[in-house]
Amino acid sequence: RMDKKIIYLVLVPLIGLIGLISCSDNSPGEQFIPGDDNTNAKLTCDGIIISESQYNSAETNEFIVNNSDIEGDSLMIELQYGGGCGPVSAELYTDGLFMESNPVQLNLILAFTDDDPCEMIVKKKFCFDLSNLATYYNDSYQTTGGTIVLIIKDYNQLTYNF
């Protein structure tokens, strides 16, 4: 009887600790720690890929967009997904085809890759540098500034002024 109590006192906490360690995310270069609400964390902004073929072939895993905002030339997106055991990545693609309206519109697709088996609910912020879209627009329209309505597939639209 005493042996069973000792086993329970040792094994149960040990199993819990192993579970926590196996689903932690300590990958180098990660921008947002699951559950971390530290708004002072430095994000690395990736560029948007302008390619009609890559836009058309982009694939994505399931995610929910919790929040998105444009700050200067940066698009900030917070995603929620099931994971927590391995690395994830997000790339933002556009076909580069401006839809003529006032202001012009541009389609985007967020390709999110999550190849880990864990199902912990994770929130992670991603940042995308929009400056190459401003350059692309300025070159296309021979101007030095403008406005683009960014239409993110399966999410919403945001207005980018530059």
Side-chain angles (χ1 to χ4, degrees), residues 1-137:
R1 222 164 145 74
M2 184 65 123
D3 291 337
K4 284 185 179 181
K5 283 184 181 179
I6 292 174
I7 290 174
Y8 285 120
L9 287 173
V10 172
L11 276 182
V12 172
L14 184 61
I15 290 170
L17 181 61
I18 290 170
L20 282 174
I21 291 171
S22 68
C23 279
S24 68
D25 186 7
N26 294 322
S27 305
E30 293 297 323
Q31 297 125 344
F32 192 70
I33 299 167
D36 184 4
D37 61 358
N38 180 3
T39 56
N40 296 324
K42 177 105 170 119
L43 296 177
T44 302
C45 297
D46 295 321
I48 295 176
I49 300 165
I50 303 171
S51 167
E52 189 173 3
S53 63
Q54 287 181 296
Y55 172 87
N56 290 329
S57 64
E59 295 181 8
T60 189
N61 294 122
E62 280 188 48
F63 64 89
I64 296 169
V65 177
N66 284 342
N67 191 19
S68 64
D69 191 28
I70 294 176
E71 300 171 11
D73 288 321
S74 298
L75 170 60
M76 311 295 285
I77 299 178
E78 182 183 86
L79 302 183
Q80 179 177 311
Y81 59 94
C85 294
V88 296
S89 65
E91 293 181 314
L92 196 58
Y93 297 96
T94 180
D95 56 11
L97 304 173
F98 290 114
M99 294 176 283
E100 296 302 326
S101 61
N102 190 14
V104 298
Q105 300 175 32
L106 191 62
N107 287 318
L108 303 171
I109 188 167
L110 182 61
F112 176 70
T113 305
D114 173 21
D115 291 329
D116 79 56
C118 289
E119 294 299 324
M120 181 173 69
I121 295 175
V122 178
K123 293 179 184 178
K124 182 170 180 153
K125 290 182 183 177
F126 293 91
C127 179
F128 297 95
D129 183 353
L130 300 174
S131 61
N132 65 334
L133 290 184
T135 301
Y136 182 65
Y137 175 92

